């Protein structure tokens, strides 16, 4: 063993907001590979409120800095023989799986309520009637397919780098997804709805775009899943595979968002409905923010990251 393994640290843990001392640790080994887990456990023991379970704890080097990762090692952190860490309560947490299942189940059920025209949505004479336009039924199938796909991917495909997220986010996310689903479904399934101006040709082109992008989105999710072994938080550069739908990785960092955008553009063209177009626009703005953040993260983490890639749209954005 090197001499460095025998160095000990004095470690104090302060509250990030009040700067009150929560605990003081003596003789912490620098080479402890489980340091962050250990720190959280010690901090948990010193915090009197039992609701501060480990998932809602954040340990930081700076009160306003980023949380330390579970795999961080003390000897690799920019601290001396005496180190000060800051504890922050992240608030009540909920698992990503629960959030996704909740926010995706809502639109699926809500849309079907409008599609079947249950009472109290449209005038009573339209209760449980069906539309005479086949595009309305096609739109219902596409919308349902999209969210069933998302639910199945949540259960069997996605591997999350973070196990939980703040509980408050589920209300924001559900308001977004459920609200837009109701707004879109109301107009698409309305008894006075009129089909797209260019008729069957427009609908067929839109359907091809939608299905193509749905397959592409699923292909990207599978490719990203295969990059991360079960239970691992390892990050790798995603590259195209033998699947042609993944070749877009040559030009884009987040093609899952690119295909998602394409799916909703197809759905907008299919329904020719203003609320759908607005949902697509809002989604594009949000996905662009996420894609830019992930693109910057790739560039920062990997020196050999492909320089031709754009965040979400090839050569544009």
């Amino acid at each position: 063993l090197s001499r460095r393994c025998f160095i000990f640290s004095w470690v104090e843990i302060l509250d990030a907001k009040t700067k009150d001392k929560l605990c003081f640790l003596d003789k912490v080994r620098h080479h402890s590979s489980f340091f962050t887990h250990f720190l959280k456990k010690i901090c948990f023991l010193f915090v009197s409120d039992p609701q501060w379970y480990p998932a809602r704890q954040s340990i930081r080097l700076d009160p306003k800095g980023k949380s330390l990762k579970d795999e961080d090692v003390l000897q690799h952190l920019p601290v001396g023989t005496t180190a000060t860490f800051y504890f922050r309560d992240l608030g009540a947490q909920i698992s990503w799986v629960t959030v996704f299942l909740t926010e995706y189940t809502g639109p699926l059920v809500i849309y079907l309520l409008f599609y079947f025209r249950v009472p109290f949505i449209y005038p009573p004479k339209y209760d449980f009637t069906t539309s005479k336009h086949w595009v309305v039924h096609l739109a219902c199938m596409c919308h349902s397919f999209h969210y069933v796909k998302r639910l199945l991917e949540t259960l069997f495909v996605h591997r999350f780098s973070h196990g939980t997220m703040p509980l408050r986010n589920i209300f924001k996310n559900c308001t977004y997804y459920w609200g837009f689903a109701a707004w879109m479904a109301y107009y698409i399934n309305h008894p006075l709805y009129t089909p797209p101006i260019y008729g069957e040709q427009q609908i067929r082109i839109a359907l091809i775009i939608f299905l193509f992008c749905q397959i592409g989105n699923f292909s990207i999710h599978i490719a990203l899943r295969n990059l991360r072994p079960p239970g691992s938080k390892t990050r790798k550069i995603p590259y195209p595979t033998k699947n042609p739908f993944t070749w877009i990785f040559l030009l884009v960092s987040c093609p899952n968002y690119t295909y998602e955008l394409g799916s909703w553009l197809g759905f907008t063209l299919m329904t020719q409905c203003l609320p759908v177009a607005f949902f697509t626009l809002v989604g594009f703005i949000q996905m662009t923010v996420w894609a830019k953040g992930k693109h910057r993260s790739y560039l920062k983490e990997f020196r050999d990251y492909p320089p031709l890639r754009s965040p979400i749209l090839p050569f544009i954005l």
Side-chain angles (χ1 to χ4, degrees), residues 93-113:
Q93 299 289 299
I94 187 172
S95 74
W96 277 93
V97 173
T98 302
V99 172
F100 279 5
L101 292 179
T102 304
E103 65 187 34
Y104 296 156
T105 301
L108 179 64
V109 174
I110 289 171
Y111 194 100
L112 291 175
L113 293 177

Side-chain angles (χ1 to χ4, degrees), residues 31-41 70 72-73:
H31 74 292
S32 175
S33 60
F34 58 91
F35 173 74
T36 305
H37 287 297
F38 173 71
L39 187 58
K40 287 183 178 180
K41 291 178 181 178
D70 288 347
D72 284 338
V73 182

Side-chain angles (χ1 to χ4, degrees), residues 13-221:
I13 304 172
L14 308 181
D15 186 286
K17 292 183 178 180
T18 65
K19 304 301 186 295
D20 293 338
K21 183 180 293 186
L22 299 177
C23 60
F24 187 84
L25 309 178
D26 186 10
K27 298 182 179 180
V28 179
R29 294 181 180 272
H30 270 253
H31 74 292
S32 175
S33 60
F34 58 91
F35 173 74
T36 305
H37 287 297
F38 173 71
L39 187 58
K40 287 183 178 180
K41 291 178 181 178
I42 293 297
C43 200
F44 182 69
L45 292 175
F46 277 79
V47 175
S48 59
D49 194 336
Q51 70 174 346
W52 286 348
Y53 44 88
R56 68 183 290 172
Q57 297 180 24
S58 170
I59 306 298
R60 313 175 181 198
L61 287 172
D62 183 87
K64 297 182 180 180
K66 295 183 178 181
S67 300
L68 295 177
K69 300 178 181 179
D70 288 347
E71 59 269 22
D72 284 338
V73 182
L74 179 57
Q75 65 178 354
H76 296 156
L77 298 176
V79 297
T81 56
T82 301
T84 300
F85 293 90
Y86 297 89
F87 168 86
R88 180 178 290 274
D89 177 23
L90 298 177
Q93 299 289 299
I94 187 172
S95 74
W96 277 93
V97 173
T98 302
V99 172
F100 279 5
L101 292 179
T102 304
E103 65 187 34
Y104 296 156
T105 301
L108 179 64
V109 174
I110 289 171
Y111 194 100
L112 291 175
L113 293 177
F114 285 88
Y115 174 74
F116 289 112
R117 295 177 178 172
V118 299
F120 308 111
I121 295 180
Y122 303 114
K125 65 178 181 179
Y126 295 112
D127 289 352
F128 298 110
T129 59
T130 58
S131 175
K132 62 182 179 180
H133 304 299
W134 70 278
V135 66
V136 172
H137 308 297
L138 179 63
C140 180
M141 287 187 286
C142 289
H143 188 275
S144 299
F145 173 82
H146 176 74
Y147 282 102
V148 168
K149 167 183 165 293
R150 283 194 171 190
L151 289 169
L152 293 176
E153 287 177 336
T154 299
L155 292 172
F156 304 110
V157 177
H158 293 319
R159 288 174 178 162
F160 302 99
S161 58
H162 301 287
T164 63
M165 67 184 299
L167 177 62
R168 61 182 178 275
N169 286 5
I170 194 172
F171 302 105
K172 177 183 64 177
N173 293 9
C174 286
T175 298
Y176 170 75
Y177 283 104
W178 296 17
F180 266 115
W183 191 27
M184 293 188 295
Y186 176 82
Y187 285 99
I188 296 174
N189 298 287
H190 197 283
L192 301 181
Y193 170 81
T194 55
I197 189 171
Y198 294 106
E200 291 188 8
Q201 184 178 6
Q202 178 177 336
I203 296 170
R204 288 195 174 95
I205 293 174
L207 178 61
I208 292 172
I209 295 173
F210 177 84
L211 293 177
F212 178 88
C213 291
Q214 285 289 283
I215 297 172
N217 180 265
F218 177 74
S219 299
I220 297 301
H221 286 162

